[in-house]
Amino acid sequence: MIEFVQNVRLWFAPEQVREEGDTPDYRFSLANERTFLAWMRTALALIGGGFAVDQFLPDLRWGWRVGLALALLAAGVLCSLRAVNHWMLCERAMRRGEDLPASRFPALLGVVVAVVAVAMVVVVLVGWEG
Amino acid sequence: MSGEALSARDPGLQPERTRLAWRRTTLASTVTAVLAGKTALHGGPSSFGIVACALCSGLWLAFLALAHHRIRALAATASPAPLAPRHATSVVLCAIATAVCALALVV
């Protein structure tokens, strides 16, 4: 957690990242940027999913509808925060010539999306009956 | 190898692929903005709905401006500079602000 707060300061300080190590081949930086953008698209899709649950499942009870929408929105926010953090860590690792950071976030996100999807199927079925 | 490759066109088309990645991301943000507008103005326009809709549209425009800025930077030189951390953070803040708008609209 403390490490995360220190990283947050680096998000806003390009000079600090650029002081370390050597500038990598621009193609590696661009590949890192595309990975960041792919994660941003995932985050935007999750946020859009939050809106969509609210709009396209109007017959659900309020609690379920809001709960599912909040789960998707929270996943979107986490995903976008993680996107910039991981991008910055990768950029720094490349400058220092270290291994790229390992992450359990993709597995975590996969599990969360699966749980929300199963919950949505159950809730829609139960919601139609009730 | 990199010395000669930098002067010539990159055979891997890295800047072009990055430009298209930005385009795809603006497309995703457009879909989110349209859904936000639909949610905000659902059930007739209210003053809160109009404010939320304006806010989401503003965030979408900010996102487009950031993407456009980066796309122009990518097109300007053969070996573009890496993305600035502030630029990446601004993109993330746009997404989070949209999520906060969604939170206010949904609850």
Side-chain angles (χ1 to χ4, degrees), chain A:
Chain A
M1 194 63 209
I2 296 164
E3 200 186 342
F4 182 76
V5 173
Q6 285 171 341
N7 288 338
V8 169
R9 255 181 284 153
L10 279 182
W11 299 354
F12 296 95
E15 319 76 49
Q16 230 169 316
V17 179
R18 275 182 199 158
E19 269 170 21
E20 295 187 54
D22 309 308
T23 306
D25 188 327
Y26 77 98
R27 286 169 289 188
F28 297 150
S29 290
L30 289 182
N32 193 19
E33 180 177 340
R34 288 198 295 277
T35 310
F36 163 70
L37 289 174
W39 279 110
M40 282 313 294
R41 286 196 293 281
T42 310
L44 285 168
L46 286 167
I47 293 169
F51 279 118
V53 164
D54 184 57
Q55 278 296 293
F56 299 117
L57 297 174
D59 298 333
L60 284 184
R61 250 175 290 148
W62 184 85
W64 280 112
R65 190 160 53 89
V66 170
L68 280 174
L70 284 187
L72 285 167
L73 289 173
V77 168
L78 274 180
C79 195
S80 59
L81 283 175
R82 188 267 180 189
V84 66
N85 193 46
H86 194 74
W87 169 79
M88 211 264 316
L89 290 179
C90 285
E91 200 75 9
R92 199 172 58 181
M94 286 194 296
R95 296 190 74 90
R96 289 176 177 172
E98 293 169 354
D99 288 343
L100 293 185
S103 172
R104 56 175 85 83
F105 185 84
L108 202 71
L109 182 68
V111 171
V112 168
V113 168
V115 168
V116 169
V118 169
M120 222 177 268
V121 169
V122 170
V123 160
V124 167
L125 289 178
V126 171
W128 275 343
E129 284 171 8

Side-chain angles (χ1 to χ4, degrees), chain B residues 9-106:
Chain B
R9 186 183 65 89
D10 175 12
L13 294 176
Q14 303 276 349
E16 285 81 356
R17 281 157 64 191
T18 312
R19 181 167 58 81
L20 290 172
W22 276 101
R23 278 273 167 259
R24 288 197 293 280
T25 312
T26 55
L27 205 60
S29 86
T30 306
V31 171
T32 310
V34 168
L35 282 168
K38 183 169 161 34
T39 307
L41 301 179
H42 184 70
S46 61
S47 55
F48 173 68
I50 289 171
V51 169
C53 189
L55 214 59
C56 287
S57 309
L59 288 168
W60 175 66
L61 285 177
F63 196 94
L64 284 190
L66 285 166
H68 188 69
H69 187 244
R70 183 60 185 156
I71 284 171
R72 286 190 58 172
L74 284 170
T77 56
S79 52
L83 182 66
R86 265 193 210 104
H87 206 123
T89 311
S90 313
V91 170
V92 168
L93 287 180
C94 279
I96 291 176
T98 310
V100 171
C101 281
L103 193 79
L105 284 168
V106 168

